Amino acid sequence: KIPTLNVWRQHTNFILRLSEWLLSSNFELIAKIISTTVFNDPIHGHIALHPLLVKIIDTPQFQRLRNIKQLGGAYYVFPGASHNRFEHSIGVGYLAGKLAKSLQNKQPGLNITKRDILCVQIAGLCHDLGHGPFSHLFDKKFIPKARPDLKEDKKWTHEKASLDMLNHLITVNNLKPVMKGYRLELPVDLFFIEELIIGKRTYPHDPKKQLEHGGRKPEKYFLYEIVSNKRNSIDVDKWDYFARDCHHLGIKNNFDHDRFIKFARVCEVDKEKDAEEKLICTRDKVGNVYDFFQTRNCLHRRAYKHKVSNIVETMITEAFVLADQHLQFKGSDGKMFTMSTAIEDMVAYTKLTDNVFEQILVSTLEELALARAILENILNRRLYKCVGQFYTKKKINDTEVCVCVCVCLAGDEDINLTPNDLIVNVTKMNYGMGKKNPIDHVRFYRKSAPNRAFKIPRGQVSTLIPGHFQEWLIQVYCKRTDKESLGTARERFERWCNAQVIIYFLSPFFFQNEQEEQEANEGPN
């Protein structure tokens, strides 16, 4: 049946009225939809990002992250671990916004504003801007060796570098007017973003401990738990790298971050002196939270601290230290910087990526010959060999003593190994909270009382949870790879391990830990 002229007029009038209403009442929404950029991410699917985030992404300082491997030397062990800091940062920015919006929708009384959400998203996006070549290799291994002057209060971290790079990015790309155009209030919101990146521990119940900050007031302190959670380490940064790293490593990820977001609520926690604090809590289904910490532990043991990954990174570090004074990077006002001093100038630091590896390889400088030989050994798989590894509950402070013990315990052999032939890596392994049980710092709520948080006693969880939450991994490598030297080194290492076990069991440290474990297993009174 052909519609009559009056029906066509009615349809036309309806469409015109609908268009007028959309343009008059929802112009901001339409503009946002039109200007939003959609990224097809292999982990989170199609994700839409705010135009200001896209402005930040489209800068040389952020694009630099395309050339920095997320897992550093692990790519030489796991062929799929080719992902970079670029995509991880986009994923963290997305998840930060997703969690903040979920809390906003579920609890309007929290008064989470669009400004709050945008700040949290920017912090998530920019939290890793300060990473150097091969990610943690640079700040954990290279800088301590190349810059021994940066210790204690002067210690350099990639988080601090991220703040420097963010301010540099905003300045050189003239983004302050753009940020104000999206209704951010400067400098307050920029300071809040910096606090979110660096991670702040809040003490609303104890004003003496609370540090001065101008980001957000106590009623919104829970926002500091989203990007870098200093309370229990459950944050969107780890959610993304758990999912992303497991995907590329071929390791199963047991933690479901979507489930955590679904059940996340901000609840009041009773504190001392009748004060109350608001924290992000989850339902009293502790299994998913334990999966979080177990996944972290699994990734560290199977990938991040893999014996071959570690020695590859150690060899790259050796090459970088040898090449440090012979590679120059142009910084501000034409001043030249080395790899280790480029951290002081963001213009020079922007040029520092994994490409340094290739720069050394293709260089013909005689001064880089030793560094080039080490990197060529990596490419030809002529790696230092792992003699063995050992776990202990106590820290061995001096690695040189450890090497000397390995050498001397075996007695007089024909093959003379010296400390210079061995490399010792001592690594702290835990669940993210040192010696503490991280679950003790997580708060839960019940379905019947969704606004009141509580702590789950250990006895109500399981008797199978560990009694110790931190240990030290000692890995010993031999630079001499001939069969006789390796055999001698392994024999000596095994004798050292046996001696360490005997010493451990006869020391007061053993009995002290046994008592602590017994008390921990009994749980709170």
Side-chain angles (χ1 to χ4, degrees), residues 392-394 499-510 513:
T392 177
K393 293 179 183 178
K394 64 175 181 178
Q500 290 300 304
V501 171
I502 294 172
I503 293 170
Y504 174 73
F505 276 102
L506 292 179
S507 69
F509 178 84
F510 169 75
N513 277 281

Side-chain angles (χ1 to χ4, degrees), residues 480-506:
R480 292 163 61 175
T481 58
D482 59 281
K483 187 176 179 180
E484 293 78 8
S485 298
L486 283 175
T488 301
R490 283 170 179 152
E491 180 184 354
R492 296 182 181 186
F493 179 74
E494 288 176 5
R495 293 187 186 183
W496 175 78
C497 289
N498 293 334
Q500 290 300 304
V501 171
I502 294 172
I503 293 170
Y504 174 73
F505 276 102
L506 292 179

Side-chain angles (χ1 to χ4, degrees), residues 10 155 195 219 232 279 282 325 395 405 506:
Q10 289 176 3
K155 184 178 179 181
E195 290 178 327
E219 58 266 23
N232 55 40
L279 303 177
T282 188
Q325 300 303 316
K395 180 180 179 180
V405 171
L506 292 179

Side-chain angles (χ1 to χ4, degrees), residues 283-301:
R283 271 289 301 278
D284 52 346
K285 303 184 181 200
V286 73
N288 193 42
V289 179
Y290 265 107
D291 286 340
F292 173 89
F293 295 107
Q294 291 286 2
T295 299
R296 180 187 183 278
N297 184 48
C298 175
L299 282 169
H300 274 271
R301 290 179 183 275

Side-chain angles (χ1 to χ4, degrees), residues 101-113 220 265:
K101 291 173 184 176
S102 175
L103 295 174
Q104 181 191 50
N105 294 333
K106 285 185 286 191
Q107 297 175 270
L110 296 175
N111 297 319
I112 299 175
T113 65
K220 290 189 178 180
R265 286 183 64 84

